[in-house]
Amino acid sequence: MQYAISILLSGISLGGQYALIAIGYTLVYGILRLINFAHGDVFMVAGLLMVYLTSFLGGILPPAAVIPAGLLLAVVLTVVLGFVIERAAYKPLREAPRMSVMISAIGVSYLLQNLATYITGGLPQMYPEIPGISKTITIAGVPTKVVTVVTPVLVLVLVVALTQLINHTKIGMAMRAAAKDFETAQLMGIRINAVISVTFVIGSFLAAVGSVLYFTNYPSIVPLSGALPGLRAFVAAVFGGIGSIPGAVVGAFIIGISESVIKGSSWSIFSDAFTFALLIVILVAKPTGLFGEKVTDKV
Amino acid sequence: MEKTNKKRLWITLLCAAALLILVTLLENVLDPSKNVMLFISLKKGAVYALVAVSMNLLNGFTGLFSLGQAGFMLLGAYTYAILTIPTDQRDAVYYIYNGSAINFSLPELLGGGPVGLVLGVLLALILGGCVAAAVAWLIGLPVLRLKSDYLAIATLGFGEIIRAVFQWDKLGPVTNGANALKNFPTFSSFNIQGGPRLSTCVAFLLAGICIAVILLLINSTYGRAFKAIRDDEVAAEAMGINLARHKRLSFCISSFFAGVGGGLFAMLVNQAQAKTFTTAMTYEILLIVVIGGIGSVSGSCIAAFLYVAASEWWLRFLDTETVLKNGFKVPFLRTGFRMVVFSVIIMIVVLFFRRGIMGDRELPDLLAGLSGKTRRKEASGK
């Protein structure tokens, strides 16, 4: 029983972290129809930024201020990174075939990974301990970290805030319009580049928050630590129906819990294989995912 | 048209023959132990050229964006390795699993000695391709119904699944679990003792034959059907092309050659291990295809050699710290900088030279003076 609870807890926590990344995928895909392969690496860079910022700020700030300042700066810099990536690598290809943009995304991912390898020297970097969420507590007799409890709550708050933003603000309306029909939205006077930038900013912000929660559970970061969580989060986004935010969150929790269950069984080597098998089954059986809208191809 | 086709065929054949002779001469004139990087780049370039062309057949000529190439290479590499490890080496290779479940080796079955080696290696490579093609057929049944980026992500996932299956403990007696398979015949096995060195020549010959077969396919009615599907699926279907059948065919053939390429890759690196065939490898091959030009076979070949030579050889100096004579330490140079510079170059190609080195043209077009005007006229007529 205790074992089951601990598996479930870690699954929910993992699911919440994937949800934050998956929203970034789903927003971008909704508007640009682009699988942003670099998103997982943005998530990794956010983690590395935290490592370097805390060690840098540790020298100039009083100890109590290091972590909050580091967190804030890491999130801001990640958002800037997401913005710059969009402007530099995707905007010039707006009129190009979709395949070119996807290749550009793969190129950015490759660049970020190599850059991270160069800067870290390929060595695993110790993730700083964040007071408050790294502490161990006991729930129903199972010891776990505070982050396990914080994650689902934070995800809920952020998702509610995001849906409010999308449903009740001007920029949210512009985002919905752009997702519905890119060209018509432009004709209606929506500044499409601003909308896309905002999308990337939101996506990177959530990825940065997700990275803080995710890496707290792991002792260290390597340049490749973003790739697999990124892919799993993407699978979660597809599973829930790409373009749909509630879908991405539900999908992420399902993927997170099933991963945690499989990792706890004797089939642990197949945890990623299962995720992708699930993806293929979903794509074949219901290509639009759980909550996706049906699209018809016009000739 | 007939005449230019013949001319192109001759030019291609002549170039290939000249290249083969040049490579063989080079290997026998130069001392391989002093020019290690040159020969590694040449062999790896040949293998990557084959895999890149096989990917181009799918991505560039049929318009199916698949990212499963590393998975199919893995299948080919393992099939090749399992079938060719000499029986007396099996206990040493599979020592964790107390010997192998398969206790024969193709080169020995076919009589041993040089003849057995050549036949066995060829047969094992072809079987490796067949296994990859058979799995591709199975995967293709559900996956090929998907469109563009969904297909990409599904095939990417399939590559990950294959990798997990081959590392599974229960299959240990066959696949050696997560450990490497080794001690099978490699390119160096073809260096005749006291005679000519043929390892690079063999790599070029095998890759060359496969690429030639793909070229013939592309120029056949099937190839034209593939291109029609790429340009417009709906129109192609209206013209009577069986979409499902042609897509499956293209997928299987591409996987077959990726499998053969995987076998060659195993021969190149002297081992087969599941963890080498990662998604990063697929990306590498995709970038080669993009640099060479999507839809150009010769472009893929040229790009493969450039890519391999640049990453393995020419840019090596970026990885070592250098101090100039006047005591000035060149900034940035240390381990990992090579790959950063390299990925920046790739991004520049992707963003500003989207057509790659060759676009969708072929080398003989340029050589036969068919470049530029006539082609552009055809294109503008579209």
Side-chain angles (χ1 to χ4, degrees):
Chain A
M1 187 60 205
Q2 281 208 340
Y3 185 62
I5 291 177
S6 84
I7 295 260
L8 195 65
L9 277 178
S10 76
I12 288 174
S13 149
L14 207 55
Q17 289 143 15
Y18 289 160
L20 292 178
I21 316 173
I23 292 171
Y25 277 110
T26 220
L27 285 177
V28 168
Y29 193 92
I31 294 183
L32 282 182
R33 300 279 178 276
L34 157 73
I35 301 177
N36 184 7
F37 277 102
H39 195 59
D41 300 290
V42 169
F43 165 81
M44 174 273 298
V45 169
L48 277 183
L49 276 174
M50 189 63 195
V51 172
Y52 281 98
L53 281 171
T54 45
S55 76
F56 169 72
L57 292 172
I60 51 174
L61 286 178
V66 169
I67 294 291
L71 272 177
L72 194 69
L73 264 178
V75 170
V76 170
L77 287 178
T78 312
V79 165
V80 172
L81 177 72
F83 176 78
V84 169
I85 288 175
E86 195 276 319
R87 278 293 147 108
Y90 304 149
K91 192 169 167 242
L93 299 177
R94 204 76 93 213
E95 305 300 321
R98 272 164 73 187
M99 204 144 108
S100 308
V101 196
M102 198 151 103
I103 291 164
S104 179
I106 291 176
V108 173
S109 151
Y110 198 58
L111 175 64
L112 287 180
Q113 281 174 12
N114 286 329
L115 206 60
T117 313
Y118 171 61
I119 290 169
T120 60
L123 302 170
Q125 301 292 310
M126 287 285 289
Y127 199 75
E129 209 164 287
I130 296 164
I133 64 169
S134 306
K135 248 192 318 193
T136 310
I137 52 162
T138 316
I139 299 170
V142 182
T144 179
K145 284 186 174 177
V146 179
V147 70
T148 317
V149 190
V150 171
T151 305
V153 178
L154 195 61
V155 169
L156 209 64
V157 170
L158 285 172
V159 167
V160 169
L162 186 62
T163 38
Q164 291 300 314
L165 176 87
I166 285 180
N167 289 333
H168 298 289
T169 62
K170 212 169 173 187
I171 185 77
M173 197 194 278
M175 281 165 75
R176 277 182 289 145
K180 199 91 188 164
D181 191 330
F182 203 83
E183 279 165 5
T184 316
Q186 262 175 318
L187 292 174
M188 296 296 133
I190 290 171
R191 281 185 305 158
I192 210 80
N193 286 326
V195 173
I196 291 168
S197 292
V198 169
T199 314
F200 272 82
V201 163
I202 296 174
S204 314
F205 169 75
L206 293 175
V209 176
S211 95
V212 173
L213 301 173
Y214 181 86
F215 288 116
T216 304
N217 284 332
Y218 292 84
S220 56
I221 307 184
V222 291
L224 282 175
S225 7
L228 268 179
L231 277 176
R232 289 187 207 121
F234 178 76
V235 173
V238 174
F239 188 88
I242 201 137
S244 144
I245 292 171
V249 175
V250 172
F253 277 109
I254 293 175
I255 296 275
I257 292 171
S258 52
E259 186 190 326
S260 155
V261 168
I262 293 174
K263 279 244 166 91
S265 72
S266 56
W267 296 81
S268 61
I269 196 167
F270 286 107
S271 71
D272 287 325
F274 174 79
T275 310
F276 286 108
L278 193 69
L279 170 80
I280 293 175
V281 169
I282 274 286
L283 281 180
V284 170
K286 198 170 183 308
T288 49
L290 291 179
F291 297 89
E293 284 171 38
K294 195 167 163 38
V295 276
T296 40
D297 262 348
K298 285 171 225 149
V299 179
Chain B
M1 205 58 203
E2 185 81 346
K3 211 172 173 188
T4 49
N5 269 345
K6 231 174 204 171
K7 206 168 160 192
R8 282 181 60 173
L9 186 71
W10 278 113
I11 292 177
T12 318
L13 277 178
L14 270 178
C15 284
L19 194 68
L20 204 62
I21 294 169
L22 181 74
V23 163
T24 319
L25 276 179
L26 214 61
E27 197 180 15
N28 287 296
V29 173
L30 296 174
D31 182 5
S33 56
K34 280 181 192 145
N35 297 289
V36 185
M37 289 329 284
L38 172 68
F39 289 107
I40 288 183
S41 304
L42 280 176
K43 284 182 228 177
K44 197 171 175 190
V47 175
Y48 269 44
L50 170 60
V51 186
V53 170
S54 81
M55 193 174 197
N56 210 341
L57 173 68
L58 207 54
N59 290 11
F61 289 98
T62 323
L64 293 172
F65 199 82
S66 153
L67 292 176
Q69 226 64 0
F72 295 116
M73 284 177 75
L74 185 152
L75 287 170
Y78 266 79
T79 314
Y80 172 78
I82 290 167
L83 290 177
T84 54
I85 296 176
T87 32
D88 54 345
Q89 302 277 351
R90 290 208 175 229
D91 285 339
V93 173
Y94 288 92
Y95 70 95
I96 296 177
Y97 297 95
N98 298 322
S100 160
I102 294 165
N103 273 313
F104 63 89
S105 150
L106 282 181
E108 288 166 24
L109 275 187
L110 292 166
V115 181
L117 176 71
V118 172
L119 289 179
V121 165
L122 280 181
L123 193 60
L125 284 174
I126 291 172
L127 283 175
C130 291
V131 169
V135 174
W137 188 80
L138 276 178
I139 305 279
L141 288 179
V143 162
L144 284 179
R145 288 165 47 192
L146 304 169
K147 292 258 160 67
S148 61
D149 31 13
Y150 283 121
L151 176 66
I153 203 87
T155 44
L156 187 78
F158 149 76
E160 293 289 319
I161 295 175
I162 291 256
R163 209 150 54 85
V165 170
F166 273 78
Q167 288 180 326
W168 191 25
D169 257 3
K170 301 263 160 56
L171 287 177
V174 181
T175 63
N176 209 13
N179 312 97
L181 290 168
K182 42 186 189 283
N183 295 347
F184 47 78
T186 63
F187 287 137
S188 320
S189 314
F190 290 91
N191 287 337
I192 298 164
Q193 286 264 308
R197 287 185 283 266
L198 292 175
S199 64
T200 317
C201 171
V202 167
F204 270 70
L205 192 64
L206 290 174
I209 292 172
C210 293
I211 293 173
V213 173
I214 297 179
L215 260 181
L216 287 177
L217 179 84
I218 287 171
N219 289 325
S220 70
T221 45
Y222 286 109
R224 286 193 285 277
F226 292 162
K227 286 181 211 164
I229 293 175
R230 169 193 66 187
D231 292 337
D232 191 332
E233 266 189 28
V234 180
E237 200 171 16
M239 290 294 136
I241 293 171
N242 184 339
L243 281 190
R245 184 164 161 264
H246 280 89
K247 281 183 177 178
R248 206 181 310 135
L249 192 70
S250 172
F251 194 52
C252 288
I253 293 174
S254 164
S255 307
F256 175 86
F257 286 108
V260 174
L264 292 178
F265 186 79
M267 289 173 83
L268 172 80
V269 295
N270 301 343
Q271 62 163 350
Q273 192 167 18
K275 71 172 183 196
T276 10
F277 299 94
T278 51
T279 321
M281 193 176 203
T282 309
Y283 290 166
E284 231 176 23
I285 297 156
L286 175 69
L287 292 172
I288 291 177
V289 173
V290 173
I291 293 171
I294 295 175
S296 163
V297 171
S298 45
S300 292
C301 296
I302 296 169
F305 284 103
L306 283 180
Y307 185 99
V308 169
S311 72
E312 301 274 319
W313 182 23
W314 297 334
L315 294 178
R316 276 274 167 206
F317 72 94
L318 291 171
D319 262 3
T320 41
E321 292 184 8
T322 320
V323 180
L324 296 183
K325 274 189 192 121
N326 55 13
F328 175 72
K329 188 161 172 282
V330 185
F332 301 124
L333 298 192
R334 65 180 157 93
T335 313
F337 192 58
R338 172 178 60 113
M339 291 315 285
V340 174
V341 172
F342 199 52
S343 30
V344 170
I345 297 175
I346 287 171
M347 277 316 289
I348 291 172
V349 171
V350 169
L351 286 177
F352 302 110
F353 305 96
R354 230 181 304 149
R355 294 173 48 78
I357 302 173
M358 303 290 286
D360 53 2
R361 288 169 302 177
E362 296 292 350
L363 202 54
D365 293 343
L366 299 176
L367 292 182
L370 235 172
S371 68
K373 285 171 192 165
T374 46
R375 283 238 135 198
R376 227 166 275 152
K377 249 182 225 160
E378 278 173 41
S380 65
K382 255 198 274 191

